Amino acid sequence: MEYIAVLSPLVGALVAGLFGKQIGDKGAQFITCGLMVAASIAAVMLLRDVNFGGAPRTVELFTWISSGDLNVKWALRFDQLSAVMGVVITLVSTAVHIYSVGYMHHDPAQARFMSYLSLFTFAMLMLVTADNFVQLFFGWEGVGLASYLLIGFWNQKDSANAAAIKAFVMNRIGDFGLALGIFAVFLTFGTLNFDAVFAQMADKADSYSEFLGYHVHTLSLIGILLFIGAMGKSAQLGLHTWLPDAMEGPTPVSALIHAATMVTAGVFLVARMSPLYEFTPEIREFIAVIGACTAFVAASIALTQFDIKRVIAYSTMSQLGYMFFALGVSAYSAAMFHLFTHAFFKALLFLGAGSVIHAMSDEQDMRKMGGIAKHIKFTYAMMWIGNLALAGVPVFAGYYSKDMILESAFAAHSTVGTFAFWVGIAAAFMTAFYSWRLLFMTFHGKPRASEKVMDHVHESPVIMTVPLAFLAAGAVAAGMVFAPYFVGEMRGEFWGAAIQVFEENDTVAHAHHVPQWVKLAPLVAGVSGILLAFVFYMRALHWPAAVAGCFSRLHAFLFNKWYFDELYTKIGVKPSFSLGRFFWKKGDAATIDRLGPDGVSAVIVKASVKARELQSGYIYHYAFAMLIGVVAVVSLYIYKVFG
Amino acid sequence: MITFPILSLVTFLPLVGVLFLLFIRGNDETVARNARATALLTSIFTFALSLYMYAHFDKTSSEFQFVEQMSWLPGLDINYKMGIDGISVFFVLLSAFLTPICILASWESITSRVKEYMISFLLLETMMIGMFCALDLVLFYVFFEAVLIPMFVIIGVWGGSRRVYASFKFFLYTLLGSVLMLIAILALYRTFNTTDIILLTQVGVPEMMQKWIWLAFLASFAVKVPMWPVHTWLPDAHVEAPTAGSVILAGVLLKMGGYGFLRLSLPILPEASAYFTPMIFTLSVIAVVYTSLVALVQEDMKKLIAYSSVAHMGFVTLGIFTFNQQGLEGAMFQMLSHGVVSAALFLCVGVVYDRLHTREITRYGGLVKNMPRYAAVFMLFTMASVGLPGTSGFVGEFLVLAGMWQASTVFTFIAATGVVLGAAYMLFLYRRVVFGELNKPDVKAMKDINLRELSIFAPLVVLVLWMGIYPSSVIAPMAPSLTRVLDQYHARVTHKTAMTPAIQKTAAPTENTAGEGEAQQ
């Protein structure tokens, strides 16, 4: 079962990748999709056994790296956390695989695309089923590779290539932190196995160690380093600029990797490390602040963007911020719950957007859409469901998970928790606003596209609409059905030992007893956001421009994404290149070579020229030299004897 | 158990091929054809023999195996002594593995003086393998220096337009190191009356003498590695060398420095090694960051990969001087992995160079369209160079840094930035060569890799993945020998540290300046 769940995507990737020509596009699609369905079934059965049957298990494959005490194996660990992630990954991936058959059918490299998708799924599954830090790192970088390949899938486009490299390198900066964290874990615990590390956690709670010359609390150091890794992967503020650019990839990729699964790996990592983070309250506060700020900043940027995919991308970033501040207040299960529901409705939104783009002949700018609701009714309905879930309207999935996060933050009764709560409410208002802005701009009003495009608007084929319907079912029901297990009464049995929370930090428990207004606040914020969007984009159509003009500075600031990209180019990219050029021209050529080999050979040449002049051939030159020699020897002799 | 002198056989088998090559007569074409075939067969035989040797190698022992000893200069007590342990066995395999690949890679690109070219390569193979097997300092020195000659000839005769400059630069750097090493060997010989490497590890060289000898060895090894700032010969040598020359240069010759540290500096001069560790760390992290940044702005494909080699070898020197299991095994693994990966990357450059005869990055673009197989292979090796887990590149870097963290967090921190920069320059290279629009007519006309090229890459691909997914099969046989080196080191150094700090303090300033001076030459 474990093998089927994890390895069948690998088989699919290899077959489609290596024998794509032989089996053809259809064959590749059939095989990868078929194997994904098998993996999903296995993952669901595992969830049943592990989370509902309370039987976590680990299958060890073979030794990977063994060097002294550093001993890690390839393993498939299915505990409660892994099983939940496994289900999310395989289900969304299956939907995306099937959807891609329709979405990519004009593309000349469909087999390659399916192969990459399966490769990604495999790497992601390896990440979540790791039983040690190094395999986690394997999956972590593996999904990075797949993401790089898929963002740059249309590799003749310069912008796609640039985005792909940016994603990989930004993630590497995060991975840099993660790797250092792993080294610190190894030095502290002498092992890299999760269970062995967690078992020693309490013993090391008070230990200190040296880092860059400072004397620091060991667990906090590890916590912050690992979190830097999570920030890169999950696009948290500071390391987030790659995510919007990643929208250069085909839309199914955005749905799978940059919404539902890969970007949530950071959330998974922190949840997995709950035994560690429970000992580091300061680091959790830091996580909460970063998460809250990310939620706010991303939502504010989304208000002004016009590219339909970028709006959803910023929305994803914002929702990831929610998950992180939940983690920061020890509401790990709430974060995982939001991860779970978010996977469905965000994938739905992306695939829905893909359906829109498909209908609009590859147009992504919302300014050139409008009035297409009646042409693509099904997609329209799907986008409504996705947005209702995202805005946290009751009954829909997001309502349960997002409210639980906000309530947990409030229930933490700490400065940081309260800060996160209010920022979260503000972000919820903006979320509702930009979601309905997207809906209204895309589907309502007068068509702004050319007639040719409008004539061509059509509903997507069945192979694309079925996955949408499946995800929509998740976006409606996942919250309602699973709330009792993820965050309700049954959560103890559901999570088992996979998530550890100290009694006094158990904000999820306290969240059920917050005042009524706290429970209502997100809903009020959401509904008012929707109403405001309605006024702006359905009634008073000149208002958006007027408001933007009124606050032109602020608008420009938001529209340019708080100038993060410009800043990084200035302080990171450009200096690296000019420093490289400086080292090359001034360091290697002008200093080392000039003083080294070139200098030495020049000196030798000069000396030889001089030496040649000595050999003039004139007797009196030689006689004179001899005379000097004799004088010198004689004076030396005299000095020695009489001196 | 093997009863015949297998090491000498592996070492000198290529010379038999050379002998045959000398007798080839006829018109140019037949000579070329026969020379290629003879060289290939010889090198494949050698490789097969080295595999046979590996099969009989006791992977659990830390001792030297297949030891041969013959009196060489009897009056002086200098012997012909060969033997391998878990450290050298892999380098012998690597050399024997890469030579046939080099010969195959030169199949079509070398058209003039084919016979002489093949002779050079087989000579080179003998010298490399001999060097890794030698257990006598004089013998080691002879092989170590003799490697230079065929390499010098290969660059100087079959190289590019600036080949003379490059080969002289190469020679100048290495010669200076060699002279100092020779003096150090003479000093050791005069003091202890032996040049037996195993015996020398047991004599206990006085500490002051250790430092001078260590520096003399450093001069030689640092150039080979190459360490910053004596690395500038490498980009020029690589750029001008023919493809196969670059492959051997990056694949094996650079490893001679690291091997020298492991075989001589650490066991014979443990106190000095400990003393100079901060200097090595400093130079290594400078190498990692500095050359990574330089690689970022290169316009020549080979130069870029050459600079990346310097950065990757920086990890090797870091790992060796951590003096712990992870660091040492990581350094060894990094050397082997770099031997395979950088060789493969130079072959990748060779493939496009053979077709378009330029190494300028901007002349290419969009190759993925007409050379999909090439793009896939190149991608794999790019990822291995970047150190993606699952490829061989990851294991070495990871172990080195894990070991490094125990020695110094500061240096780990700086060195690890090389991992980020490494991703940047390799992907930037790949993007400019393989991705983008395919619009230049001559690039459009380039054909995908043929069967011969595929058969060159296939074993490298397998090896990179094998070493990435199942590295413990490589680490396990080397572990006992490295443990021996470490145990010897710690037995000597920890025993001394209790009483040395005062001496170290007074000696520090002069020694340090001397160290910098040596390194810069």
Side-chain angles (χ1 to χ4, degrees), chain B residues 87 91 221-222 224-225 253-264 313 316-317 320 332 335:
Chain B
I87 301 171
F91 290 112
F221 300 150
K224 281 281 175 4
V225 167
L253 261 61
L254 299 193
K255 312 301 167 313
M256 289 163 58
Y259 176 73
F261 282 126
L262 276 175
R263 176 64 76 232
L264 302 180
M313 293 305 287
V316 172
T317 41
I320 292 174
M332 268 298 288
M335 282 199 266

Side-chain angles (χ1 to χ4, degrees), chain A residues 57-348:
Chain A
R57 74 276 317 265
T58 303
V59 183
E60 290 187 343
L61 302 177
F62 57 91
T63 301
W64 182 16
I65 301 175
S66 169
S67 170
D69 301 331
L70 199 160
N71 212 313
V72 293
K73 287 198 169 71
W74 291 107
L76 306 178
R77 169 194 171 114
F78 275 93
D79 68 352
Q80 287 84 350
L81 263 176
S82 313
V84 168
M85 289 301 287
V87 166
V88 171
I89 296 161
T90 51
L91 286 184
V92 176
S93 178
T94 308
V96 168
H97 268 79
I98 294 170
Y99 179 91
S100 303
V101 173
Y103 190 83
M104 299 296 286
H105 82 277
H106 291 307
D107 203 276
Q110 292 171 58
R112 186 162 62 93
F113 186 75
M114 300 310 277
S115 164
Y116 288 172
L117 280 185
S118 286
L119 176 71
F120 166 78
T121 313
F122 165 70
M124 190 71 203
L125 287 167
M126 287 301 275
L127 192 168
V128 298
T129 60
D131 81 332
N132 60 68
F133 283 92
V134 191
Q135 186 184 329
L136 180 123
F137 196 71
F138 166 83
W140 197 265
E141 293 253 295
V143 293
L145 167 69
S147 158
Y148 162 80
L149 291 171
L150 284 165
I151 295 171
F153 183 75
W154 287 315
N155 52 41
Q156 68 281 7
K157 267 167 66 183
D158 261 348
S159 54
N161 290 328
I165 292 186
K166 186 172 175 184
F168 199 91
V169 175
M170 290 289 277
N171 268 301
R172 268 275 158 139
I173 296 174
D175 297 354
F176 164 84
L178 178 59
L180 294 187
I182 294 175
F183 303 143
V185 167
F186 179 61
L187 182 64
T188 312
F189 298 96
T191 173
L192 287 175
N193 250 306
F194 288 147
D195 288 332
V197 168
F198 296 157
Q200 297 176 50
M201 202 59 80
D203 303 339
K204 306 281 182 188
D206 298 319
S207 78
Y208 279 77
S209 53
E210 184 271 343
F211 179 65
L212 304 185
Y214 295 96
H215 195 61
V216 293
H217 182 226
T218 310
L219 295 188
S220 297
L221 170 69
I222 296 171
I224 194 106
L225 289 171
L226 295 180
F227 178 61
I228 291 173
M231 282 175 71
K233 203 50 101 196
S234 296
Q236 290 302 288
L237 200 59
L239 292 176
H240 67 278
T241 58
W242 64 271
L243 182 61
D245 288 16
M247 298 302 128
E248 288 289 342
T251 308
V253 174
S254 315
L256 175 62
I257 301 184
H258 306 119
T261 55
M262 185 186 85
V263 289
T264 61
V267 180
F268 167 77
L269 174 69
V270 177
R272 166 65 84 215
M273 291 299 129
S274 62
L276 182 136
Y277 283 107
E278 282 302 289
F279 283 102
T280 59
E282 294 88 2
I283 305 303
R284 272 192 289 112
E285 283 183 1
F286 178 71
I287 294 176
V289 170
I290 291 280
C293 292
T294 306
F296 183 85
V297 170
S300 73
I301 298 173
L303 297 175
T304 60
Q305 300 299 308
F306 290 111
D307 185 317
I308 184 168
K309 283 181 70 182
R310 280 186 187 241
V311 173
I312 307 178
Y314 279 108
S315 156
T316 304
M317 186 178 143
S318 170
Q319 297 301 308
L320 290 166
Y322 277 98
M323 295 177 210
F324 274 101
F325 77 66
L327 296 168
V329 296
S330 288
Y332 306 102
S333 53
M336 286 304 293
F337 189 35
H338 197 51
L339 186 163
F340 181 75
T341 59
H342 175 258
F344 288 103
F345 64 73
K346 194 50 69 69
L348 173 67

Side-chain angles (χ1 to χ4, degrees), chain A residues 64 67 74 155 172 588 593 598, chain B residues 169 232 290 307 329 419 436:
Chain A
W64 182 16
S67 170
W74 291 107
N155 52 41
R172 268 275 158 139
D588 270 19
D593 275 355
D598 295 356
Chain B
K169 202 168 176 182
T232 62
Y290 180 107
Y307 275 110
E329 286 175 10
V419 177

Side-chain angles (χ1 to χ4, degrees), chain A residues 394-452:
Chain A
V395 183
F396 293 92
Y399 167 72
Y400 295 91
S401 54
K402 195 194 225 166
D403 279 20
M404 181 47 73
I405 287 179
L406 288 168
E407 286 158 22
S408 305
F410 185 85
H413 292 298
S414 60
T415 323
V416 169
T418 314
F419 168 74
F421 172 76
W422 285 112
V423 170
I425 296 285
F429 170 74
M430 292 192 278
T431 305
F433 180 83
Y434 67 67
S435 300
W436 265 264
R437 171 179 177 265
L438 181 150
L439 269 182
F440 295 140
M441 280 186 84
T442 308
F443 292 100
H444 292 266
K446 286 197 194 74
R448 293 181 293 273
S450 67
E451 256 178 51
K452 195 166 155 248

Side-chain angles (χ1 to χ4, degrees), chain A residues 461-480:
Chain A
V462 180
I463 196 135
M464 285 165 70
T465 50
V466 169
L468 281 177
F470 167 74
L471 291 171
V476 174
M480 215 173 354

Side-chain angles (χ1 to χ4, degrees), chain B residues 81 135-138 140 184-206 209-210 213 217 263-271 488 492:
Chain B
K81 186 172 182 185
L135 282 186
D136 184 280
L137 267 183
V138 176
F140 175 86
I185 291 174
L186 287 175
L188 279 175
Y189 176 64
R190 282 187 50 96
T191 319
F192 301 103
N193 267 321
T194 179
T195 51
D196 186 312
I197 293 176
I198 301 175
L199 281 180
L200 279 172
T201 59
Q202 293 151 8
V203 294
V205 185
M209 183 179 176
Q210 275 198 24
I213 292 179
F217 280 166
R263 176 64 76 232
L264 302 180
S265 300
L266 252 58
I268 301 180
L269 314 164
E271 284 92 347
Q488 281 175 355
R492 295 267 293 276

